[in-house]
Amino acid sequence: MESQSIMVLATTGSWGGAENIIAQTTAHFRRLGYSVKLGILTDGDGMLLRQATENNGLDTFSLHVTKRSPWRAMELLPLIDEEPPGLIIAHLFHSYMTARLLGRMMRRIPVISVHHSSGQGPARSFLDKLTLGLTEYYVTVSEDGAKYAREALGVPGRKLRTIPAGVDVERLCRPSVARREMRRSFGFADSDFVVGCVARFHPVKDHETLLGAFKILRQRVPHAKLLLVGKGDELPRMRALAEKMGLLGDVVFAGFRRDLPELYAAMDAACLASLREGTPTSMLEAMAVGLPIAATSAPGISALLRHRGNALLAPVGDEAGIAGALETIATQPELALAIANSAKEEVKANFSLARCMKQYQELVEDILGPAIPLEH
């Protein structure tokens, strides 16, 4: 009998939207009865492995790859030889290239490659296309990503699958702390208009444009506040920029948080100024709880959000446009409620966590077959 064990490989241990899906799917495979091991190439902040071990008791490892020691990726081979998995599911470019070359080419282990963006640079695209024969399935998380895979990489239809992220709507809509209490914990008054952004501090999220937009918004909506949730390498620079702009009294840097239902309950609107996305999980979460959204029309976002349909959109990098969208939400409650309600219904119909898990499960079962319960 072929092994029913799954190795899930991620590029970094730092937390983000991709890592959220990784944690959810690994827990799901384990509940189904598969033996699961979760590994990362680079340590990052270690949050992914901590979440996996604390919440699900998964077997985990890190290869401790750095820019100075890329050769450490080769240490995947003895791990594979010690306990050969029946399948490797690799998320993001560096991990699926490692899995294809070391797992599929050298050890004949099937690989599922998961691409979490809507595109990538020419060098990566060349290598991705060159090694497509070493992956059983190529998974994208948005229609924009699927278009890139078809047109730029030439991924054949039999290999290409689009599995958008999914969210646990019921959990998100049940905060355990009252809205007023949560707002007061951040120093927000009942009358404040609180804009929230849940995103790691990385250049692709373009917090700089968001801060510029918020500065404009504050001139038009004096009671506006900005709640930034997340961590990352760009955090110190953004904090310094907020201070330089004179915004520190109105911007709260909340850091990494797990109490998402309570955080979203404290907000009046959600905003994302990204340059590009896969499927932005934080936008799905905001849609699920009925928050009106202002965002950029970046690839990945525009596949999910429609201007004046379920959100208000502005061009990438357009501070004034984002500020205008947020001002509209703050001053036109009927429109804000209409786009929020539309978004909420769309998430319930198309982006449930159960649907996402089922689609990943179907791919795994196609390769390994249904999980066989262990005999006791």
Side-chain angles (χ1 to χ4, degrees), residues 15-17 20 45 47 50-51 55 171-172 176-179 181-188 197-201 227-232 235 252-267 281-282 285:
W15 193 262
N20 180 54
D45 61 21
M47 186 59 67
R50 287 199 297 274
Q51 289 276 89
N55 296 345
R171 183 185 74 85
L172 288 167
S176 60
V177 177
R179 169 182 164 89
E181 181 180 344
M182 197 65 183
R183 286 168 70 95
R184 287 182 176 175
S185 72
F186 292 117
F188 300 145
C197 175
V198 180
R200 62 194 170 101
F201 283 85
L227 177 61
L228 299 177
V229 181
K231 60 191 298 186
L235 176 55
V252 173
F253 291 86
F256 176 81
R257 303 281 295 242
R258 298 184 183 184
D259 51 344
L260 291 177
E262 292 72 28
L263 289 170
Y264 285 118
M267 300 174 190
T281 304
S282 65
E285 292 166 345

Side-chain angles (χ1 to χ4, degrees), residues 115-120 125 128 138-155 160-165 274-280 296-306 313 316 351:
H115 181 75
H116 282 269
S117 188
S118 51
Q120 56 193 355
S125 293
D128 208 344
Y138 193 95
V139 177
T140 64
V141 297
S142 71
E143 289 302 325
D144 284 343
K147 181 180 179 182
Y148 159 78
R150 286 192 299 267
E151 297 180 0
L153 302 182
V155 179
L160 182 61
R161 298 292 185 273
T162 299
I163 306 180
S274 295
L275 305 177
R276 65 180 182 276
E277 287 283 348
T279 297
T296 59
S297 54
I301 293 179
S302 59
L304 174 67
L305 301 176
R306 302 177 306 281
L313 302 180
V316 170
F351 296 97

Side-chain angles (χ1 to χ4, degrees), residues 10 18 22 60 129 141 148 157 188 192 214 257 298 332 366:
I22 291 167
T60 64
K129 186 174 183 178
V141 297
Y148 159 78
F188 300 145
D192 286 338
F214 179 71
R257 303 281 295 242
Q332 298 185 33
D366 183 59

